[in-house]
């Protein structure tokens, strides 16, 4: 497949640009309005990087039009939609509609937008969807958690991909075929991590603030406050010892940026850039799913979700419930060192003592999910007609 050229709007420090490295997509122009992010982007990528106020749709379009572009991608600022921003729509929420306006004005073959899940319920996104529909775009809309795409961090995001090809609905299967059933822990991602617990400042002291590396980190935010000297341990903290917070470099690593990525700006600016970015590894999975779908738009990849829908006539929602029940096991029984998810789930299915830790009402549902998983793995190992 030939290299696809993209414009990266609201490029920030370069989460999507880093994600595109080694894929069939190449960024030809990047735009943002934040000086330290632009400086960081230029320090790491050869792409032409332009300072632009993307609320000015006319100017943005003229800047992009001078470059060959087949895909427009970007993550409009999400603070006005997120819980960190209070969830009240403001000026930054309007940038989602600016993104939609630029897309419809330039009419790319494909567009890709990333945002927080709550953006889907906003007035700005509702207007954007209407605009895309009027211009003949069909949408793939799905919510993903980066912890199931190799990123050692729970970070739920809305992924929206638009195309005039009605087969874009099949892209959802391409995306979810790439996700794991079990979440990636910090230790999975960073085997020689030099600490076992760390502090992450909570939004409320009603929540825990100390986490283990044997679980995914909570969402990496744009602030990185140190542990207060008078912090009172929460009952759910994974240790009562006084532990330190993550360094800026460690936060960038958990966002899956390479260690040699060059960050430019003050510490608070760098922390904000890190928190704002799409984790490159998540972005890479999404980009590769999009390019694979473009190569064969009618294909529906096999996954546990799709198998449940075909083999057992499950609805997509019911199939998602099965996946959720399997994931719940990980909270009660960690994997053994170097144990992959198939070995882990089959081991739990053969010795179900762990399930006794689940609420009694949930146990039959989880047991059924384990049986379905074992049936699915067996079906995948059976030779197809083409192999006879």
């Amino acid at each position: 497949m030939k290299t696809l050229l993209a414009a990266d709007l609201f490029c920030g420090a370069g989460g999507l640009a880093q994600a595109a490295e080694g894929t069939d997509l190449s960024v030809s122009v990047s735009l943002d309005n934040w000086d330290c992010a632009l400086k960081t982007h230029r320090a790491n990528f050869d792409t032409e990087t332009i300072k632009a106020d993307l609320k000015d749709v006319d100017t943005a379009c003229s800047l992009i039009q001078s470059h060959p572009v087949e895909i427009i991608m970007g993550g409009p600022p999400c603070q006005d939609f997120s819980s960190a921003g209070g969830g009240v729509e403001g000026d930054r929420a309007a940038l989602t509609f600016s993104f939609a306006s630029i897309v419809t004005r330039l009419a790319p073959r494909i567009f890709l937008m990333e945002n927080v899940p709550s953006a889907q319920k906003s007035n700005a996104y509702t207007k954007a969807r209407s605009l895309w529909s009027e211009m003949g775009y069909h949408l793939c809309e799905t919510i993903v958690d980066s912890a199931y795409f190799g990123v050692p961090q729970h970070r739920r995001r809305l992924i929206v991909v638009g195309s005039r090809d009605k087969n874009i609905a099949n892209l959802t299967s391409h995306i979810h075929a790439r996700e794991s059933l079990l979440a990636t822990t910090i230790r999975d991602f960073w085997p020689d991590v030099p600490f076992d617990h760390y502090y992450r400042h909570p939004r409320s002291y009603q929540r825990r603030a100390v986490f283990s590396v044997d679980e995914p980190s909570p969402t990496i935010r744009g602030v990185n406050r140190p542990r207060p000297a008078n912090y009172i341990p929460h009952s759910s903290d994974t240790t009562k010892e006084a532990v330190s917070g993550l360094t800026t470099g460690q936060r960038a690593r958990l966002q899956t940026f390479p260690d040699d990525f060059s960050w430019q700006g003050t510490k608070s600016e760098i922390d904000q850039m890190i928190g704002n970015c799409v984790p490159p590894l998540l972005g890479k999975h999404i980009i590769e799913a999009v390019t694979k779908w473009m190569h064969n738009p009618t294909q529906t990849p096999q996954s546990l979700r799709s198998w449940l829908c075909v083999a057992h006539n499950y609805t997509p929602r019911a199939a998602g419930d099965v996946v959720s029940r399997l994931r719940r096991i990980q909270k009660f029984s960690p994997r053994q060192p170097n144990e992959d998810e198939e070995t882990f789930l089959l081991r739990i299915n053969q010795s179900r003592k762990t399930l006794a830790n689940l609420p009694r009402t949930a146990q039959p549902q989880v047991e059924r999910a384990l049986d379905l998983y074992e049936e699915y793995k067996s079906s995948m190992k059976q030779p197809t007609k083409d192999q006879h």
Side-chain angles (χ1 to χ4, degrees), residues 241-260:
E241 297 177 8
V243 294
S244 301
L246 298 170
T247 66
T248 296
Q250 289 166 347
R251 283 160 44 84
R253 175 178 280 203
L254 298 191
Q255 276 281 64
T256 67
F257 279 93
D259 290 340
D260 62 355

Side-chain angles (χ1 to χ4, degrees), residues 313-335:
N313 295 318
Y314 277 41
T315 64
R317 181 172 181 175
D321 289 341
V322 172
V323 171
S324 296
R325 289 163 190 154
L326 293 172
R327 287 173 175 168
R328 192 173 183 181
I329 300 169
Q330 192 177 12
K331 296 179 181 179
F332 295 91
S333 178
R335 276 178 285 172

Side-chain angles (χ1 to χ4, degrees), residues 26-292:
S26 178
V27 179
S28 60
V29 61
S30 301
L31 294 87
D32 204 292
N33 198 35
W34 190 14
D35 288 330
C36 63
L38 292 166
K39 188 175 181 180
T40 298
H41 201 284
R42 290 170 182 142
N44 292 280
F45 306 103
D46 294 332
T47 307
E48 182 175 0
T49 306
I50 303 171
K51 183 174 182 177
D53 181 356
L54 293 169
K55 291 195 297 289
D56 184 346
V57 172
D58 291 338
T59 299
C61 287
S62 65
L63 291 170
I64 297 167
Q65 280 177 322
S66 61
H67 300 79
V69 166
E70 297 169 88
I71 296 179
I72 293 178
M73 61 184 187
C78 64
Q79 289 89 341
D80 287 338
F81 301 133
S82 69
S83 56
V88 178
E89 289 188 49
D91 290 342
R92 287 174 295 189
L95 289 169
T96 294
F97 187 70
S98 296
F99 177 86
S101 299
I102 293 168
V103 165
T104 52
R105 185 84 62 86
L106 298 180
R109 181 180 174 188
I110 295 283
F111 70 84
L112 163 63
M113 189 187 83
E114 174 268 352
N115 216 303
V116 293
S118 56
Q120 205 168 13
K121 301 177 182 178
S122 69
N123 292 328
Y125 184 69
T126 299
K127 290 170 60 181
R129 286 183 97 258
S130 296
L131 190 58
W132 289 326
S133 179
E134 289 171 8
M135 295 301 294
Y137 282 101
H138 304 279
L139 302 181
C140 159
E141 299 167 289
T142 191
I143 293 173
V144 300
D145 183 337
S146 63
Y148 301 105
F149 290 83
V151 180
Q153 171 196 168
H154 280 303
R155 190 182 188 93
R156 296 179 73 246
R157 284 299 182 264
L158 168 67
I159 304 297
V160 182
V161 183
S163 169
R164 290 191 173 88
D165 187 334
K166 292 182 180 180
N167 290 306
I168 191 68
N170 291 334
L171 176 59
T172 304
S173 295
H174 280 272
I175 292 173
H176 288 288
R178 304 180 73 88
E179 69 181 344
S180 62
L181 285 172
L182 302 183
T184 302
T185 68
I186 292 176
R187 202 184 298 277
D188 289 334
F189 182 79
W190 186 0
D192 57 348
V193 56
F195 52 90
D196 293 318
H197 307 271
Y198 61 95
Y199 177 86
R200 187 260 202 177
H201 198 74
R203 294 199 179 102
S204 163
Y205 284 114
Q206 302 302 312
R207 301 180 180 184
R208 68 167 168 151
V210 177
F211 297 82
S212 165
V213 299
D214 290 309
E215 61 184 324
S217 86
T219 301
I220 300 295
R221 304 198 305 257
V223 294
N224 187 24
R225 297 190 181 98
R227 181 184 183 276
N230 62 349
Y231 173 70
I232 300 174
H234 189 274
S235 60
S236 298
D237 286 351
T238 54
T239 181
K240 303 307 177 187
E241 297 177 8
V243 294
S244 301
L246 298 170
T247 66
T248 296
Q250 289 166 347
R251 283 160 44 84
R253 175 178 280 203
L254 298 191
Q255 276 281 64
T256 67
F257 279 93
D259 290 340
D260 62 355
F261 196 87
S262 177
W263 298 95
Q264 307 290 314
T266 65
K267 182 181 183 302
S268 61
E269 288 173 334
I270 293 171
D271 279 328
Q272 185 69 57
M273 283 188 281
I274 291 170
N276 285 357
C277 282
V278 179
L281 185 52
L282 172 63
K284 187 180 185 71
H285 276 294
I286 301 303
I287 289 170
E288 288 181 341
V290 170
T291 55
K292 189 171 182 179

